[in-house]
Amino acid sequence: MRVRVLGSAAGGGFPQWNCNCANCRGLRAGAIRAKPRSQCSIAVTGDASRESSKWMLLNASPDLRAQISSFPELLPKDGARGSSIASVLLTDAELDHVAGLLSLREAQPLELHCTRRVFEWLFEANPVFGALIEASRFRWRPMENRQSIERDEAGLQVEAIFVGGKVPTYVKTPVDDPSGATVAYKIHDRDASIVYVPAIKRISEELVSVAGECDCILFDGSFWSDDEMARRGVGTRTSLAMGHVPIDGPDGSLARLSHLRARKVYTHVNNTNPILDEDSPERRAVERAGWEVAEDGMDIVL
Ligand SMILES: [Zn+2]
Ligand SMILES: [Zn+2]
């Protein structure tokens, strides 16, 4: 299996266009050791050796057009039109995970996997995204909890695991049961498996056990601490209110997942997060606990 990290930052990217936090300012000025990052997405294929291999895209960020251009494997190979991207999977309906779908609107039929809940919010309630379905750009395949589907053209099997997340702020109707708002994806081929979790509010025992079976986890590294936005002087919303379990703290991902034998990679890193500064104590702490921090263009071959 080959995983290409197309983007590794949370919404806004790094540096964020309107942000002057210590990280964004430091990166622009060259005052800190850090790398710019585009918004979070990965491409996965089960057969890295065949040139004709097809890819699955997990989430479609607003930076998707540039991300496709930066990775030759996703460019048209033969014929007048075409793409190696065969399907798109959505973990949720957050704008920074779906806005790139609009960049895939030129006639190229794609399979689209997401939960019924995400489909309702994104495509049924919104005429702009709905037009993508009406024009048959995407064929929707509903994902159920713990149900496996085959993506033969990419040589992969995919299973959705419903996890605790947040309802997108643009959803104005009351939601009694938010299940299906956010999912993790377990992806495997004959040889290896990964779990992709760019957004999660609570780490359940079920998720720990799924991650324990995998060779690699790509996990929500949005925020170091719950009060990071306030600490950085750029806002008041907490990490949990934005649907992300922080890295640090007794219920944080560092405490809950560092024991796993899997290769562990933080992704979806917010521009305020001190782990982006390669010389920070927080970066050293995650590395000491066995974690890597994803970068754009990172290749994970399993
Ligand atoms: Zn996001
Ligand atoms: Zn910033």
Side-chain angles (χ1 to χ4, degrees):
M1 186 187 317
R2 182 176 175 199
V3 179
R4 176 74 168 200
V5 176
L6 298 172
S8 51
F14 178 49
Q16 180 174 311
W17 68 282
N18 64 346
C19 188
N20 209 21
C21 75
N23 277 350
C24 292
R25 196 174 57 240
L27 180 68
R28 285 190 198 102
I32 61 169
R33 207 155 62 86
K35 296 187 180 71
R37 287 167 166 84
S38 64
Q39 294 164 89
C40 201
S41 172
I42 60 170
V44 189
T45 185
D47 189 346
S49 56
R50 278 204 347 256
E51 209 172 274
S52 62
S53 62
K54 293 285 186 182
W55 293 75
M56 239 171 40
L57 202 62
L58 278 92
N59 289 342
S61 96
D63 299 317
L64 182 60
R65 186 177 172 280
Q67 291 170 340
I68 291 172
S69 300
S70 74
F71 186 39
E73 296 282 336
L74 300 184
L75 297 175
K77 295 245 165 48
D78 35 45
R81 289 272 169 94
S83 168
S84 308
I85 301 170
S87 54
V88 184
L89 283 75
L90 302 177
T91 58
D92 53 60
E94 294 294 331
L95 285 177
D96 61 311
H97 303 169
V98 304
L101 294 174
L102 299 172
S103 300
L104 298 175
R105 70 192 180 283
E106 287 76 20
Q108 175 71 50
L110 292 169
E111 304 278 316
L112 175 88
H113 297 273
C114 66
T115 64
R116 180 165 297 281
R117 178 80 61 181
V118 166
F119 188 83
E120 286 166 6
W121 287 336
L122 197 56
F123 297 101
E124 288 182 355
N126 183 312
V128 174
F129 284 90
L132 296 171
I133 301 288
E134 278 164 33
S136 305
R137 301 292 186 260
F138 298 104
R139 284 188 299 269
W140 177 45
R141 303 282 182 254
M143 294 301 294
E144 310 286 349
N145 191 25
R146 301 310 305 260
Q147 175 213 60
S148 248
I149 52 139
E150 308 264 356
R151 296 276 4 148
D152 288 332
E153 77 294 328
L156 296 167
Q157 271 209 342
V158 186
E159 179 185 344
I161 300 113
F162 286 23
V163 298
K166 94 174 211 301
V167 174
T169 41
Y170 63 79
V171 174
K172 299 303 180 196
T173 47
V175 179
D176 297 331
D177 170 18
S179 91
T182 309
V183 306
Y185 284 111
K186 180 182 175 184
I187 303 161
H188 66 96
D189 66 1
R190 277 197 311 264
D191 306 318
S193 55
I194 68 158
V195 63
Y196 185 62
V197 197
I200 184 170
K201 193 173 171 177
R202 267 182 317 280
I203 302 172
S204 64
E205 282 309 318
E206 182 187 29
L207 186 80
V208 176
S209 115
V210 169
E213 299 160 2
C214 290
D215 301 293
C216 178
I217 63 173
L218 277 152
F219 198 83
D220 184 343
S222 302
F223 298 101
W224 172 260
S225 58
D226 195 34
D227 61 352
E228 184 173 305
M229 298 293 275
R231 273 187 207 217
R232 293 285 189 159
V234 293
T236 52
R237 294 183 78 202
T238 64
S239 169
L240 289 167
M242 287 185 276
H244 300 285
V245 63
I247 293 173
D248 195 30
D251 300 317
S253 53
L254 203 62
R256 296 291 309 283
L257 301 173
S258 293
H259 68 282
L260 298 174
R261 65 168 180 89
R263 180 172 174 185
K264 294 176 282 290
V265 184
Y266 278 124
T267 191
H268 195 277
V269 186
N270 198 57
N271 61 79
T272 50
N273 192 327
I275 67 171
L276 289 171
D277 178 345
E278 294 168 22
D279 298 313
S280 67
E282 292 85 355
R283 175 63 165 259
R284 277 199 297 279
V286 299
E287 286 175 349
R288 259 201 318 269
W291 290 77
E292 299 164 67
V293 180
E295 295 175 2
D296 292 18
M298 186 178 190
D299 252 327
I300 299 173
V301 180
L302 299 163

